[in-house]
Each structure stands twice: as structure tokens, then as C-alpha cells.
Amino acid sequence: MTRLKTSDISNISSRLVTCNQELLAKTGRTFLGIACHAYGKDEIQIRHRVESFCIHVVPVTAGQGIISDFCETVAAILRFLGFNALVSDLPDTSGVALAFENKADAIMMADDHRFVGLNLNIRSVADNSEATGRVFAAALDLMAKGIENCEVLVLGCGPVGEAAAQTLLSSGARVVLCDIHLPAARLLKERLSVYPGGNKIVIEEDLNMAVSNYGYVLEATPAANTIPDELISDHMVIAAPGVPLGISKKGCQILKDRLIHDKLELGVAGMAISLLL
Ligand code: PYL
């Protein structure tokens, strides 16, 4: 998992309104709407519930320590979605204890290995990688105006790619897996074979060949420039949760409204909605 830098996230809070409008133009839904679509929830009902749902974002000093602006940005995204969210005054154990003592409904916190949401009432866990893959797959479904029976190339077979592939299968898409580490693609194909449509999963071993052949791509790799500019076609639609973005600035200009990417927002929205379930 790529560790975010403050420079990756420092402008997120100030651009939430703009990014929300851009998502609306690309998918017909907002951050909240896409997250509700990902989890099959009615947006109107969710709107009524979010403002009374209290989430404490707890800084974690373990490992490489705190990333400046990380917790503040997570809380800003949650407040933008309508949640009653705050950054705890205390980190680590003290922050967790304070959330319980203040009867918070949930905690969100991240060490160097996992970023999770914890529902303190029903003891559920929302994992950022799983939620991110699920929400970006839902965004691709919306951009495609229904991904059912479409072939989708999933680049990157890690936790985010796995959640995305599973969500795409459940949406009726025909999933094609590609990873620079072939055993990772094979292992994921095996794990997904138990789901409806999982037995039809195809593995592409040549990334450039794969990118040239598919119009819908879910880019979930931790590498920059995964998709070379010369392979980006006029009909391509890409949802890219991978950090850093696997497409160059020139590639983004070619794709324009046919690309969705962010480094934290949609994943946090998915985590929050999954905590409400
Ligand atoms: C959650 C992000 C998404 C991509 N990489 C993940 C990452 O950067 N994880 C590390 C987060 C550390 C947060 C730090 C703090 O400020 O509380 N412990």
C-alpha cells in the first residue's frame, strides 16, 4: 500500500465541492450517491441518518507516524458527506478510549498497514482497501451507464483490485485480470471462481496488449504511468483508485470526463456508508 504524502491530500478539503460536481457530471451521482450505489443503499434514507452518526477520527503515531492533514482531511470528507465527524484531541489508545467515553458511533483510524472504520455499536469493521475497490467499481458502472455484460480490465490484483473485481462480477461484468506478478492474478482468479461469473474470468499476461483490447479499465496498481498515453483510446473509460495515479497528465487530458481518480475521498465515503449498514 502506497503511503500518502501531505502533498497528496493537502488540497482535498478545499476542493470537495468542485470534485463533487465533477463526479456528478461524470457519473450522474455525487460522492454520497456513488457510495450508496456501491453498497445498495437508498441515498434519501442515508441522508436522514448521517447527521446523527458521530465518527471520531483518531490519529495514530505508530510506525512511520502521523501524516499531517490526514485525519483532518478524513474528517472534512465525512463532514462534507453530512456526518457528525471530528478529529480526536488525543491519539492512539487515549483517542480510542475517548471515543468510547464520548459514546461515538464509530472510529476511523490508520496505521501503516490498515485504514479502518470501526462501528462501536455493532462491532463492524470497514476496510479502506475493500471500500475503495468497491466504490470505484460502482463509479465505473455508473460511468458506463450499466457495466453488465461489458468486459472490464482490472489492472492490479491486490486488495483494492480484488474488491473491485468482486464488485464488478456482482454487477454482471466480464472481468479480465492483469498483474505484473502473474501468480497474483492466478490466485485472485481462483479466489473469485466461487462467485457468479467468476469461472469466466480471463487473465491477460501482457499489460500493453490488455490495455489495447479493453474499453473499460479499473486501474488499481501502486505504480505511476501504468497505462501509456499511446494506448489511451477515444472510447476508453477508466476508474483509477491506484495511488499514485497510473496515468500521465497528458493521458488525463486525453481522457477528460472518462477518468475518475482520487486519493482518499471515494474510499472514505464507501467506508462511512458501510459503517451505517
Ligand atoms: C489510507 C491511505 C490510502 C493509501 N495509502 C494509505 C496510507 O497512506 N496509509 C498510512 C496512513 C497513516 C496515517 C497516520 C495518521 O496520521 O494517523 N498514522
Side-chain angles (χ1 to χ4, degrees):
M1 170 173 63
T2 313
R3 180 177 164 91
L4 290 171
K5 301 183 295 294
T6 300
S7 57
D8 289 324
I9 58 176
S10 53
N11 72 344
I12 287 177
S13 304
S14 61
R15 297 195 70 252
L16 284 168
V17 172
T18 306
C19 292
N20 206 44
Q21 292 304 323
E22 287 170 358
L23 279 178
L24 203 51
K26 294 175 181 178
T27 68
R29 303 292 290 271
T30 60
F31 279 123
L32 190 65
I34 295 170
C36 288
H37 182 64
Y39 287 90
K41 302 309 285 180
D42 176 80
E43 187 175 346
I44 306 296
Q45 284 180 13
I46 290 290
R47 280 180 191 283
H48 290 310
R49 294 181 56 198
V50 294
E51 59 191 40
S52 60
F53 195 83
C54 177
I55 304 176
H56 282 210
V57 184
V58 178
V60 174
T61 62
Q64 298 185 60
I66 284 172
I67 299 175
S68 299
D69 287 348
F70 177 78
C71 288
E72 292 71 13
T73 302
V74 171
I77 295 164
L78 293 169
R79 284 196 291 269
F80 181 79
L81 296 170
F83 286 89
N84 171 13
L86 58 85
V87 178
S88 177
D89 293 333
L90 300 172
D92 306 321
T93 309
S94 306
V96 170
L98 195 59
F100 275 92
E101 289 157 350
N102 289 0
K103 301 201 182 331
D105 295 298
I107 286 170
M108 281 198 185
M109 60 196 300
D111 61 16
D112 296 343
H113 310 287
R114 289 188 75 184
F115 173 23
V116 296
L118 308 169
N119 183 311
L120 306 186
N121 302 317
I122 60 173
R123 297 162 47 87
S124 64
V125 178
D127 178 83
N128 175 255
S129 296
E130 193 277 332
T132 299
R134 188 161 173 169
V135 177
F136 272 83
L140 190 60
D141 179 38
L142 290 165
M143 281 202 284
K145 296 182 172 43
I147 204 77
E148 189 173 10
N149 297 323
C150 299
E151 287 185 310
V152 180
L153 174 65
V154 176
L155 291 179
C157 296
V160 175
E162 174 166 0
Q166 192 178 325
T167 305
L168 289 164
L169 281 179
S170 68
S171 304
R174 280 182 282 137
V175 169
V176 178
L177 301 176
C178 183
D179 195 292
I180 51 166
H181 186 53
L182 188 56
R186 288 188 175 137
L187 202 58
L188 180 52
K189 174 176 161 65
E190 194 182 311
R191 277 206 297 276
L192 293 176
S193 60
V194 298
Y195 294 95
N199 59 331
K200 298 190 185 68
I201 289 175
V202 170
I203 291 178
E204 283 277 3
E205 297 187 24
D206 180 317
L207 187 142
N208 287 352
M209 177 73 74
V211 170
S212 312
N213 286 340
Y214 297 98
Y216 293 110
V217 181
L218 192 119
E219 197 279 329
T221 74
N225 294 320
T226 312
I227 300 177
D229 298 345
E230 59 274 14
L231 296 182
I232 296 174
S233 64
D234 290 343
H235 63 278
M236 222 173 206
V237 179
I238 301 178
V243 176
L245 175 57
I247 295 147
S248 72
K249 282 195 179 352
K250 180 165 182 288
C252 292
Q253 287 160 1
I254 298 168
L255 287 163
K256 293 192 189 75
D257 277 0
R258 291 177 286 121
L259 167 66
I260 283 185
H261 169 74
D262 72 32
K263 292 178 172 57
L264 205 51
E265 301 94 309
L266 278 169
V268 167
M271 291 168 75
I273 295 308
S274 75
L275 287 175
L276 278 178
L277 292 187

